[in-house]
Amino acid sequence: MKNTITSALIAAAFSLTLLTPNSALAEDHLRSQFSHTIDYITEHGVSVVRSSDGGSLVVIETDFNTRNRSELRLLLGRDGMFMPEADLGPLARVTGLQVFKAPPGLDIQQYTEVHIWNPQHNVIVGVAPLN
């Protein structure tokens, strides 16, 4: 069941990204690169895509990679801090495409960063600013 939901979210993210005209894409799509700490290398991009139901999808792109093998979580934040109320859930793996749906009622426009957090060591593994 979880794989079916994940596959549906990935398909939705791709259809939104590939089928949206460029002018709408500029308004409904944010893309950034993760910066990283020295100990935990996190590479490549993340996108935020407006979904057809008015919500948002946060897409960790296919070339994503991190050396951290601990449980990791994806959160939104601002001013260099992640916000616990904007926890989008655990990463399924440390490489490759992953799609997270922002919960209803979460105003993604209030956040300026995407954080990957290691709760076991309470350390930020990567941050991507949303401009």
Side-chain angles (χ1 to χ4, degrees), residues 45-66:
V46 61
S47 297
V48 177
V49 181
R50 181 79 53 200
S51 62
S52 59
D53 66 2
S56 297
L57 302 173
V58 178
V59 181
I60 295 178
E61 297 175 357
T62 56
D63 56 0
F64 171 76
N65 185 32
T66 182

Side-chain angles (χ1 to χ4, degrees), residues 1 7 12-14 21 33 35-37 53 72 75 79 82 85 89-90 93 98-99 107-108 110 112 119 131:
M1 179 70 171
S7 297
F14 277 156
Q33 293 287 316
S35 62
H36 52 79
T37 65
D53 66 2
L72 301 174
L75 297 99
D79 302 323
F82 66 83
E85 72 274 7
R93 56 195 162 281
Q98 297 177 61
V99 179
D107 182 4
I108 205 160
Q110 292 185 5
T112 58
N131 302 341

Side-chain angles (χ1 to χ4, degrees), residues 8-116:
L9 287 173
I10 290 169
F14 277 156
S15 67
L16 287 170
T17 302
L18 298 174
L19 300 178
T20 305
N22 287 338
S23 60
L25 191 61
E27 295 172 9
D28 295 339
H29 181 269
L30 297 170
R31 186 174 189 290
S32 185
Q33 293 287 316
F34 283 105
S35 62
H36 52 79
T37 65
I38 293 170
D39 295 334
Y40 301 98
I41 296 176
T42 304
E43 300 176 323
H44 301 294
V46 61
S47 297
V48 177
V49 181
R50 181 79 53 200
S51 62
S52 59
D53 66 2
S56 297
L57 302 173
V58 178
V59 181
I60 295 178
E61 297 175 357
T62 56
D63 56 0
F64 171 76
N65 185 32
T66 182
R67 291 184 186 169
N68 189 306
R69 299 293 178 201
S70 300
E71 177 188 330
L72 301 174
R73 299 190 70 81
L74 191 76
L75 297 99
L76 301 175
R78 61 182 166 269
D79 302 323
M81 309 258 322
F82 66 83
M83 302 296 150
E85 72 274 7
D87 186 340
L88 301 182
L91 272 65
R93 56 195 162 281
V94 295
T95 61
L97 179 69
Q98 297 177 61
V99 179
F100 298 81
K101 182 162 179 57
L106 182 70
D107 182 4
I108 205 160
Q109 294 180 355
Q110 292 185 5
Y111 303 95
T112 58
E113 302 154 346
V114 175
H115 292 253
I116 296 178

